[in-house]
Amino acid sequence: MVFKRLLGAMGAGGPSVDTVLDGGAVTPGGILSGQVHLQGGSADVEIEHIGLELIARVEAEHDDGESEGAVVFERFTVGGGFRLAEQARHSVRFSVSLPWETPVSELYGQPLGIVLGVRTELAVAGARDKGDLDPLAVRPLPVQEAVLEALGQLGFGFKSADLEHGHIGGTGQQLPFYQEIELAPAPQYAHVVNEIELTFLATPAGMEIVLEADKRGGLFESGQDTLTRFTVSHHDVGARDWNSEVDGWIRQLVEHRASYGSHATYGHADPYAAGSGYGHHSAHGSGHESGYGSGYESGHVSGHEGHRSGPGLGTAVAAGAAGLAVGVVGGLVAAEVVDEVGDFFEGDDDEGGEED
């Protein structure tokens, strides 16, 4: 067990903390559990507050280009109100619910290049210090997995995944960012689109699925973006032919021809009402309201970088069969993603203290 000595606000000789998450990836809206292990320092202290923060690496667009930062998207209080004796050990078990819009960071055990973490905060005698930082693995919900698998079987290929700061207009989005999964078009659509962008916005009742197509331009016209939204229930996962369903969504997306605006507009009827099955709304333009918000920690900005590619999605990653196809350099990309995740957490740890 590796304890992190809290040296920032509490000074040398303060307590140490080690947060251990229970094994395995969790799902959006699912339960994250584990234990916070404390070890006393050189004197007795009052532990006023033990908190957990969920953080994500998010990209933001602004006038000067793009930058990256760490966004705290949920906070929990899991303990406090006790005395920790000198050199004593104390453990606090926790169980918290993840937000339904928590991004998916892996599929079939393969990382997608999405960086998520759980950071522990300790408050002692009025001083707060952010100590332990642990990577968080999130696997898709059954409906998300069904949609991704259908896209793979239809011939779409995984390009990259990232988190974009801002909101998709007209949706029920709750978090200050959204996940974008960029897909290379299937052969039957390659002549009309450059790529498809997919966003899941989960709720307790179901899922908003936002699809955006970067459409190819013709001889006398430039390319345009088209955006549509569909809603499905969690109960639909075993009741639909997902290949046909998703192919129908793509056809509606690429065949839509209308004037294009700068923001998406959707209806606000209950998409999960009894008898509705799923809803469909169309719009044009990006619908993405970008910009910095209060949750964006500019201290983590790493400069202007483009999208990073992750490894392939779907069962093709593991078995070379169904699922979103792996690129030629899939192995190299996967290694880069692992290094990137490690660098992110290592950099944050350097700010919080040092290992014993």
Side-chain angles (χ1 to χ4, degrees):
M1 183 180 297
V2 178
F3 283 89
K4 177 171 290 297
R5 180 76 62 186
L6 300 180
L7 296 176
M10 300 174 191
S16 301
V17 61
D18 179 36
T19 299
V20 179
L21 304 179
D22 290 344
V26 293
T27 59
I31 299 299
L32 175 68
S33 58
Q35 294 189 71
V36 178
H37 301 290
L38 301 175
Q39 180 173 334
S42 58
D44 295 359
V45 293
E46 294 293 332
I47 304 297
E48 300 172 353
H49 164 91
I50 302 173
L52 299 178
E53 296 179 336
L54 304 183
I55 61 174
R57 188 196 63 191
V58 176
E59 295 183 359
E61 295 183 1
H62 43 82
D63 292 341
D64 296 328
E66 285 189 349
S67 58
E68 294 180 342
V71 172
V72 176
F73 62 97
E74 186 61 282
R75 291 182 171 89
F76 308 96
T77 298
V78 298
F82 61 91
R83 189 172 186 81
L84 183 65
E86 177 184 353
Q87 298 301 318
R89 291 176 180 256
H90 183 83
S91 296
V92 176
R93 172 157 284 279
F94 63 85
S95 181
V96 297
S97 297
L98 295 183
W100 281 95
E101 290 181 16
T102 299
V104 174
S105 66
E106 68 174 45
L107 182 61
Y108 301 112
Q110 296 294 321
L112 305 183
I114 299 299
V115 181
L116 304 174
V118 179
R119 186 163 57 191
T120 307
E121 181 186 72
L122 207 61
V124 176
R128 293 175 179 262
D129 207 325
K130 300 180 188 302
D132 204 20
L133 179 62
D134 299 274
L136 174 63
V138 180
R139 68 180 189 274
L141 291 160
V143 169
Q144 294 171 321
E145 187 173 305
V147 171
L148 291 169
E149 193 65 24
L151 286 164
Q153 293 183 14
L154 290 170
F156 289 86
F158 177 78
K159 293 179 66 176
S160 67
D162 55 31
L163 305 180
E164 298 283 345
H165 197 264
H167 287 78
I168 301 177
T171 68
Q173 181 186 337
Q174 300 295 310
L175 295 184
F177 58 84
Y178 54 92
Q179 182 173 15
E180 264 189 358
I181 299 173
E182 298 180 0
L183 309 171
Q188 63 269 32
Y189 297 112
H191 65 290
V192 290
V193 296
N194 293 308
E195 70 177 19
I196 299 289
E197 295 177 349
L198 168 67
T199 295
F200 294 114
L201 298 173
T203 71
M207 188 92 53
E208 290 182 89
I209 299 169
V210 182
L211 292 169
E212 182 175 356
D214 177 12
K215 303 176 72 172
R216 296 187 186 278
L219 182 60
F220 300 107
E221 61 181 3
S222 60
Q224 296 168 317
D225 289 345
T226 304
L227 187 145
T228 64
R229 184 193 67 172
F230 303 86
T231 56
V232 298
S233 167
H234 293 299
H235 300 296
D236 290 339
V237 65
R240 295 186 180 276
D241 178 347
W242 287 103
N243 283 15
S244 297
E245 191 86 27
V246 174
D247 192 48
W249 296 348
I250 300 297
R251 288 183 182 277
Q252 291 183 50
L253 177 66
V254 301
E255 292 173 1
H256 206 88
R257 294 286 189 271
S259 60
Y260 292 78
S262 59
H263 293 283
T265 56
Y266 302 119
H268 294 281
D270 181 4
Y272 311 110
S276 66
Y278 70 94
H280 167 238
H281 305 266
S282 290
H284 309 286
S286 68
H288 300 169
E289 302 169 4
S290 300
Y292 290 97
S294 60
Y296 195 88
E297 298 183 4
S298 60
H300 291 270
V301 171
S302 59
H304 312 302
E305 298 183 10
H307 297 298
R308 293 265 189 148
S309 294
L313 293 175
T315 53
V317 175
L324 300 177
V326 183
V328 176
V329 293
L332 175 60
V333 171
E336 290 175 349
V337 169
V338 171
D339 291 342
E340 187 178 16
V341 172
D343 291 345
F344 177 82
F345 287 121
E346 181 181 354
D348 196 285
D349 281 351
D350 288 344
E351 296 179 4
E354 63 184 24
E355 302 290 348
D356 278 348

